[in-house]
Each structure stands twice: as C-alpha cells, then as structure tokens.
Amino acid sequence: MLSIKNLHASVEGKQILKGINLEIKAGEVHAIMGPNGSGKSTLSQVLAGNDAFEVTEGEVTLNGDNLLELPTEARAREGVFLAFQYPVEIPGVSNLQFLRTAVNAMRKHQGKDDMNAAEFMKLAKEVSKQVDLDPAFLKRGVNEGFSGGEKKRNEIMQALLLQPKLAILDETDSGLDIDALKVVSDGVNALRAPDRAILMITHYQRLLDHIVPDYVHVLADGKIIKSGGRELALELEAKGYGWLGVKDNTTASH
Amino acid sequence: MKSASTLSSAFLQSAGQALPEPLLALRANRASALTDLLLPTRRTENWKYSAKHLKLTDEMASSLPLNASAGAEADIQGYTVVLVNGVVRPEASNYPALEGLSIQRFSDLNGDDAELAADLLGKSISDQPAKHGSINLSLLNAARFEDGLLIQLQPGTVLDQPLFVVHHTSASHSGSAFPCILVAAGSNSQLTLVEDYVSSGESPVMVNTATEFSLGDGANVTSVRLNTEGQNVQHMGTTGVRQQRNSRFESHSVGFGGTLRRHDLHVRLEGEGAECKLNGVVVTQGTQHYDNHTTIEHIAAHCNSEESYRNIAADKSHAIFNGRIHIHQDAQKSNANMSNKNLLLTNGAEIDSKPELEIYADDVKCAHGATIGQLDNDSIFYLVSRGLSPRDAKVLLTMAFINELVAQIPVEQVRDTANTGLNQFFDQAFQEV
Ligand SMILES: Nc1ncnc2c1ncn2[C@@H]1O[C@H](COP(=O)(O)OP(=O)(O)O)[C@@H](O)[C@H]1O
Ligand SMILES: [Mg+2]
C-alpha cells in the first residue's frame, strides 16, 4: 500500500526528516512513537502534501503511484487521509457544507453521483453519532469553538465519511479524557479493514491499549531508530525513550 | 505639477427633454453654479485614489440617446420601473396602482408634485463636502438630469413587495446618463427599493446617479443597490438620506468593480430615535477600481447607526472604503458602530480603508474597526487535504468572509444575481492553471 524510501524533508531550511524507510501493507496498523520534536507531524504533513515542507530526497508510493508528484487534493481523492494534530478553526464555513463538498469531490473522483443535501444530512447524522458528536455540530463553522476533544472526534468523523485507503492519525489521542479516548478508539477500530492501512502517530502508549497495532516504530531525530511488534510499545512505556538513547523532556508513559 | 483643470462646459449642456418649469429652473441654476467646477486630482482629499481613473472627454459630455429602447432586463418578477440612459421607459415598466403610492416620471409632474420634486432635489446631497477641500461630482446630476422618478408614499402606505428600478445605460457610443430618483416616504410608510445598474454596449460612458430618500417619522425604507455595469462605464453614484424621528433606513449594496466605480452614501439622522444600517460588499479584479465613501451624521439625540462594509480585491485591482461618522453636539446618547473588513487575494491588489470620526457630543458610544487580511494557508491546506479543489476551498473561505452580508440582503432575486456575479468573480480570481 504505502512505501516510503529514504525520505528526507526540511522546513524553512532546517532538515527534519533524515531518511525514513517504512512499508505498510493493506490491512495493517502501524504506530509511530517518538519524543516531541522528532518529526512525527512533519512526516504526516509531508504525506498529505503540505508544501510548507520540502522533500529533499527519497520517494513515497501509494499502491505503486508516486505520491509526491500529486497535489494535496489528488492525494486525498486517491485515499490519503490525515487526521490533524491541530485541526484549524474556520469560522463562517459550515461544517456540513464543507463535509458534503469533500464527500462529493471524492464521489466524483470515483465516478459516482453527487449526494444531495438530504441524503448527506442523513449520513452525516449517523456518523456523528458514531463518534458521539451532537449533530448540532454539523451546523457550526468548521471546528469553530470546538473543544480539543470535539476537534479530534470531528477528524475521526471525517475519516469515517471519506473512507480513505490510508488513514494517518496524528496524535488523535492527545488531549482526550478516558471516555473520549474510548469513543475515538472505537471510531478508529471501525476504520480497520483488510483493504485499508492505518498509520497512528502517538506520543503515548495508552492509545495502543485500545487500538492494537501490528507494528510499532520509534522515530527520533528524523529517523526510525527501532521497529518491532506491539511489545515494543510496552517496553517503551516501562523504560522510557532514554532506554533507546533518545532525549525526551516528557515521559513516554501516561 | 499639473494645475487642476475645470470641467469642460460641454458637461453643463442638457439635451432638452421636456420638464416642468420648477425642475428646469433648478437645473439651470445648478448648472450655472458649476461653471468653475474643478476636476479632482490626486491631491483632492476625497478623490485621492480615484482621480487618476476619471477620464471625462468631450465625447462623453453629451447625453446618451433619450429615446433608446429597453433591453432584456424586464424579466424581473415584481414591480419594475425601467430607466434607459436616465429616462423613464413607461412601456417597459410595470407597477401597481396602489392607494397611497405614486410613482411619476419628472416629465409628467405638475403643480404641487413638480414643486415637491424641485424642493427635494439636492436637499440630502447639497454641497456638504466642499469644506473638506473635496470635490463633489455628484452635483453634476442636478445640473444635467433629463428625467427622473418621484416616488411618494402617503403616511402608513406599505408596499408589499420590492420595487425594482433598473437603470440601463446603453453605451452604443460615448456619452453620459444622469438618472435621478427622489423618494418621499411619509410617516410610518414602508418601502424596499432595489436599484439595479446595468449596461450594454462598449463605448466609454459616464453614469452619474443621484438617489435621495426623505423618511418621515417612523418610516421604514430599505435600499438595495446592485452594480453589474460593464467595464466601460465610469460610475459615480450618490445616495442621500434624511431621516426623521424613529425612522429606519437600511442599505445593502453589492458592487462589482469597473474602470471607475464610486458611490457616496450620506445619511443624516435628523430626528430622535432614528436608526440606520449600512451594509456593503465590493469585489474587484483585474485592474478594476471601486471607491465607497459613506458619511453618517448623527444630528439628533438617541439615534443608532450600524455599518459594515467588506471589500475583496484580486489581481491588481483596488478597493477603497472611506467611512465618516460625524456626531453633532446635540446628538447625545448616539450609538454608532462601524466595521470595515478587507480581504486581499493577491499581493498586487490594493485596499485602502479610512475611518473618520468627528465627535462633538460627550455622551455617545462609538466603535469602529478595520482589518485587512489574506486567505489563511493552513485553512486552505486543511480543506484541500479533504479532497476539495483549491478553487472550492478558496471559494468557501472567501464566501465565509461575506456570507453574513449577502445573506442579509432582503431580496432573493438580488441575492441570486449577487451570487452569480460572485461565482464569475471566483472563476477568474481562482483560475486553476
Ligand atoms: N512550520 C514549521 N516551521 C518551522 N519549524 C517547524 C515547523 N514545523 C515543525 N518544525 C520543527 O520541526 C521539528 C519537528 O516537528 P514535528 O514534526 O512537529 O515534531 P513532532 O510531531 O514529532 O512533535 C521541530 O523541531 C519543529 O520545531
Ligand atoms: Mg506532532
């Protein structure tokens, strides 16, 4: 599904990603863990196509196609979805209108007819219940005045609506209380499918109690320094990042 | 330095449409007062940004044909009066014989009505900006109108649907048009007047308009102004409003840029408890130009004014907002709120925003704010990362900026026309290469 080879990226002239290699197959869930500032969000933004980040070396393919050549919207239509660590608030743009435009852009790409307002409303209401968001949120501006947890649930709701091939979740667990973490995890588990890959980025191991990954990678200073099964996450929790010779000013466990 | 030149005398010659005596006398009087009128330069305070776009050649001095026929604009649903080149076309018009409502063209006025028109004309516009070293080209309208409309509502008369006045300028060759509308809204009467400025033909022309509203006690008037004239039209419009006690005036204007677009809106709150709300949306692109000047005078106590103007400028266009609030000494307990927000879509576009406050009363609430910003890249990326095209993402964000004002326009047909125009604007401004 996703193949990343020797990926280097910089922002404002500063090298952040220093040679990432990663293979993810359909149906797999991979977790990337790492201390703050190690480049986790940079990797997710580069995959989604944020041109604030410059790819200086390496290649990325999605089902064999060169992802880096595609503009952001084409990546989205090919099935790349990024749940943002910090979703932006866009006052004045209604969530409902935005979501319907997005779903219809996707449907058009797949050669399907547009969903009309009534059909979409029905679907959106169902999905919002799935992530425990009051459908009244649909009428508000995009993320406008949403709490941190509501923003994260809105991201998962969008993933459920858009049914991506590759879902990248950037710290979707941070800032959530236990109940919200459960709701979000249930949403992510509902996304698990044989034809879908999930890349979960997290700073903490606790999310992995709810969503059991197939592989865990540790990212430090722009490189994957260790990969393993889910037991690697437990080991990290017990020993901290220091165990791998990585400096971290926060703790890995929670 | 080039010295200021005076207006060519050709601009003071009317074409000779038959008019009642009081109006002829008034027009001649106004024309003779303008023989020394200086043309504005960039040093003229209220023409700083627009003077360079003003191109008044002698070919443009003569009145456009007074008997040109109306175009296809007559498919408006509802009450309609059509003016072509500033002259009323009764055959293209369609409005009710409603008790308490009278709609008359200037050339049909007689007796008291002719006196009333002559009395109202220029009363709300006058020569007020003169003391600011400014030049008021709208005074030309009173020196040159060939026809016009007098709309009178008797006390308590309520018009049940909007009255559209379509101003069609037929620019088959160079010339000028001077449409004029006078509205006398009696106490507690209600009216929504839509002024729709359109044009056909490609020759350079000047449209110089005057619209004057006089609101009696408790009258409620909404003025909607839409400008979709061609690029060849130099438009100079003036709206003057005088409000008596507890009257309410609302103005909604939507303007698309052109070679030169200028609108001066002057509201006088003369009676206690009067209130006005002025909304304006302007979009410009290419090398277009749009210059809005508003003045709100709080003359009596306990009046409210609320103003919100939004400009969006693309390419190398230029939009200007100049908003003056003048609170007179006796206007205690005035409440004035003015907001101007601006969106630059490119680095080459220019927006100038200038609030001017003159406050001579001590017990007033007056707030004003102006912002100039650009579309937010993070917001665009967020939307595009969900599969929206960059165009659709920018349209959503840009519409979010003006939606609130467009939604408040109380006439559906105008909202539709505005949205159609905005979509054309977006197609140009957000072209995908
Ligand atoms: N837009 C940006 N401009 C400048 N520096 C950035 C930007 N985004 C990230 N960085 C820097 O890149 C490094 C990696 O950041 P990030 O990818 O957000 O790390 P993580 O998500 O692992 O905490 C940090 O040093 C951060 O300061
Ligand atoms: Mg991060």
Side-chain angles (χ1 to χ4, degrees):
Chain A
M1 167 88 62
L2 181 73
S3 166
I4 303 176
K5 293 206 173 88
N6 193 30
L7 183 64
H8 287 65
S10 64
V11 59
E12 289 169 7
K14 186 175 141 199
Q15 201 67 37
I16 311 291
L17 301 184
K18 301 173 180 171
I20 304 247
N21 292 290
L22 189 63
E23 298 284 332
I24 305 183
K25 296 197 180 68
E28 292 178 351
V29 175
H30 289 234
I32 292 189
M33 302 185 69
N36 279 330
S38 57
K40 302 184 299 294
S41 291
T42 301
L43 174 62
S44 68
Q45 297 280 327
V46 166
L47 293 176
N50 188 341
D51 60 14
F53 298 86
E54 193 194 349
V55 174
T56 52
E57 219 185 312
E59 64 175 55
V60 179
T61 58
L62 182 73
N63 294 324
D65 296 331
N66 183 351
L67 199 65
L68 299 178
E69 263 182 359
L70 297 178
T72 301
E73 68 277 16
R75 296 184 198 192
R77 292 171 196 167
E78 286 301 330
V80 176
F81 179 91
L82 167 63
F84 285 67
Q85 181 175 5
Y86 303 110
V88 287
E89 297 199 18
I90 313 181
V93 173
S94 103
N95 220 4
L96 195 64
Q97 193 186 1
F98 156 54
L99 295 174
R100 184 154 80 95
T101 312
V103 165
N104 280 336
M106 200 69 87
R107 291 178 66 91
K108 187 174 172 197
H109 182 69
Q110 295 161 350
K112 295 181 190 160
D113 286 343
D114 271 13
M115 266 192 165
N116 68 31
E119 286 170 326
F120 182 75
M121 190 67 197
K122 190 162 167 274
L123 174 69
K125 273 188 176 160
E126 276 166 27
V127 178
S128 66
K129 281 192 197 114
Q130 208 179 333
V131 293
D132 201 23
L133 264 184
D134 186 333
F137 277 90
L138 294 167
K139 300 238 160 91
R140 304 238 303 251
V142 175
N143 293 315
E144 188 180 359
F146 287 24
S147 71
E150 287 160 354
K151 283 179 185 162
K152 299 294 166 108
R153 278 182 275 164
N154 194 21
E155 296 293 288
I156 297 305
M157 170 170 150
Q158 291 174 32
L160 290 166
L161 277 172
L162 295 170
Q163 295 286 312
K165 287 192 192 121
L166 170 68
I168 305 160
L169 313 175
D170 190 0
E171 300 216 22
T172 300
D173 54 329
S174 61
L176 298 181
D177 61 26
I178 295 295
D179 293 337
L181 185 66
K182 177 84 173 64
V183 169
V184 163
S185 307
D186 288 349
V188 175
N189 282 323
L191 279 173
R192 285 186 97 139
D195 58 352
R196 178 173 296 135
I198 298 177
L199 179 60
M200 268 192 310
I201 291 171
T202 182
H203 187 76
Y204 303 114
Q205 119 79 25
R206 64 172 190 164
L207 179 67
L208 308 184
D209 292 339
H210 299 272
I211 309 163
V212 180
D214 300 304
Y215 298 94
V216 174
H217 311 275
V218 179
L219 182 70
D221 193 23
K223 277 186 182 157
I224 289 177
I225 55 162
K226 195 166 179 63
S227 296
R230 68 167 304 224
E231 68 287 348
L232 178 57
L234 299 170
E235 213 169 344
L236 268 177
E237 169 161 70
K239 301 181 182 170
Y241 287 110
W243 159 63
L244 293 167
V246 173
K247 275 200 225 110
D248 183 23
N249 41 15
T250 57
T251 56
S253 63
H254 192 72
Chain B
M1 192 183 103
K2 214 180 117 192
S3 67
S5 50
T6 51
L7 183 72
S8 160
S9 60
F11 278 94
L12 299 173
Q13 304 295 319
S14 302
Q17 173 93 354
L19 284 171
E21 182 46 36
L23 287 173
L24 281 178
L26 179 122
R27 190 176 69 181
N29 183 293
R30 293 299 167 93
S32 65
L34 291 183
T35 46
D36 296 326
L37 185 74
L38 291 177
L39 284 177
T41 68
R42 68 192 162 83
R43 284 165 214 283
T44 310
E45 182 54 29
N46 67 341
W47 278 87
K48 189 170 165 188
Y49 303 108
S50 295
K52 66 171 181 249
H53 297 284
L54 186 66
K55 295 207 173 60
L56 300 180
T57 59
D58 273 4
E59 296 86 77
M60 287 166 69
S62 59
S63 288
L64 285 163
L66 302 180
N67 53 2
S69 58
E73 62 278 347
D75 57 345
I76 284 168
Q77 306 295 310
Y79 306 153
T80 316
V81 181
V82 176
L83 280 78
V84 179
N85 297 342
V87 178
V88 180
R89 310 293 342 165
E91 73 283 1
S93 303
N94 159 41
Y95 49 85
L98 201 78
E99 176 143 354
L101 170 74
S102 129
I103 300 175
Q104 292 168 282
R105 58 186 299 192
F106 284 0
S107 50
D108 289 343
L109 294 175
N110 44 43
D112 288 351
D113 289 338
E115 294 291 345
L116 174 71
D119 191 45
L120 286 172
L121 216 149
K123 271 284 157 38
S124 63
I125 296 174
S126 72
D127 53 356
Q128 47 78 24
K131 69 170 172 156
H132 293 271
S134 303
I135 289 173
N136 190 348
L137 281 182
S138 65
L139 295 176
L140 260 183
N141 185 283
R144 280 294 300 278
F145 63 89
E146 303 284 358
D147 195 7
L149 272 186
L150 174 64
I151 300 170
Q152 296 178 74
L153 285 102
Q154 296 308 313
T157 305
V158 175
L159 204 61
D160 61 337
Q161 50 177 292
L163 172 64
F164 283 79
V165 178
V166 181
H167 294 272
H168 184 134
T169 299
S170 168
S172 47
H173 56 80
S174 271
S176 298
F178 300 89
C180 179
I181 303 179
L182 303 174
V183 177
S187 57
N188 300 315
S189 62
Q190 287 183 32
L191 167 73
T192 296
L193 182 78
V194 179
E195 284 180 82
D196 189 8
Y197 289 93
V198 298
S199 72
S200 60
E202 304 296 326
S203 301
V205 296
M206 170 172 71
V207 175
N208 187 306
T209 80
T211 310
E212 300 193 58
F213 294 93
S214 168
L215 279 65
D217 291 357
N220 189 337
V221 171
T222 298
S223 157
V224 180
R225 186 182 181 97
L226 182 65
N227 190 315
T228 56
E229 288 166 338
Q231 296 304 301
N232 51 317
V233 177
Q234 293 185 62
H235 182 104
M236 276 158 265
T238 305
T239 301
V241 185
R242 300 178 63 186
Q243 294 188 239
Q244 304 313 314
R245 288 175 76 92
N246 300 325
S247 61
R248 178 173 169 84
F249 178 78
E250 262 189 40
S251 158
H252 300 265
S253 72
V254 181
F256 296 91
T259 328
L260 170 61
R261 297 276 186 273
R262 173 161 178 141
H263 185 221
D264 289 53
L265 171 56
H266 190 140
V267 178
R268 291 162 199 257
L269 301 166
E270 296 178 348
E272 287 195 6
E275 58 181 34
C276 71
K277 170 181 176 133
L278 313 180
N279 285 352
V281 173
V282 163
V283 297
T284 57
Q285 63 194 158
T287 56
Q288 292 175 341
H289 187 87
Y290 208 117
D291 189 352
N292 264 312
H293 284 241
T294 68
T295 301
I296 300 171
E297 278 189 84
H298 282 257
I299 297 166
H302 297 280
C303 291
N304 293 325
S305 65
E306 180 84 40
E307 179 170 24
S308 181
Y309 269 69
R310 308 263 161 105
N311 294 314
I312 301 174
D315 306 324
K316 293 190 162 152
S317 64
H318 191 177
I320 299 125
F321 172 77
N322 191 115
R324 193 162 79 93
I325 295 176
H326 178 173
I327 301 185
H328 291 237
Q329 200 171 352
D330 294 336
Q332 300 296 357
K333 307 280 182 197
S334 289
N335 215 326
N337 224 316
M338 172 165 67
S339 143
N340 172 229
K341 293 187 185 166
N342 301 288
L343 184 61
L344 282 170
L345 294 178
T346 58
N347 292 329
E350 180 175 345
I351 291 182
D352 291 280
S353 172
K354 186 177 171 199
E356 292 179 71
L357 306 180
E358 283 180 54
I359 302 177
Y360 301 104
D362 45 28
D363 186 11
V364 302
K365 279 198 197 125
C366 184
H368 69 97
T371 59
I372 298 186
Q374 291 181 289
L375 292 180
D376 176 45
N377 280 331
D378 290 341
S379 300
I380 294 173
F381 178 64
Y382 185 79
L383 298 175
V384 170
S385 80
R386 299 305 185 236
L388 273 69
S389 67
R391 179 204 183 267
D392 287 351
K394 289 173 189 171
V395 168
L396 280 182
L397 293 170
T398 310
M399 279 308 292
F401 183 74
I402 50 175
N403 246 338
E404 184 194 335
L405 296 188
V406 175
Q408 284 180 47
I409 298 171
V411 182
E412 189 184 355
Q413 203 171 338
V414 175
R415 283 197 304 275
D416 290 348
T417 311
N419 281 322
T420 304
L422 287 168
N423 276 320
Q424 286 165 2
F425 172 83
F426 295 141
D427 285 342
Q428 289 283 319
F430 302 138
Q431 241 167 31
E432 274 158 30
V433 280

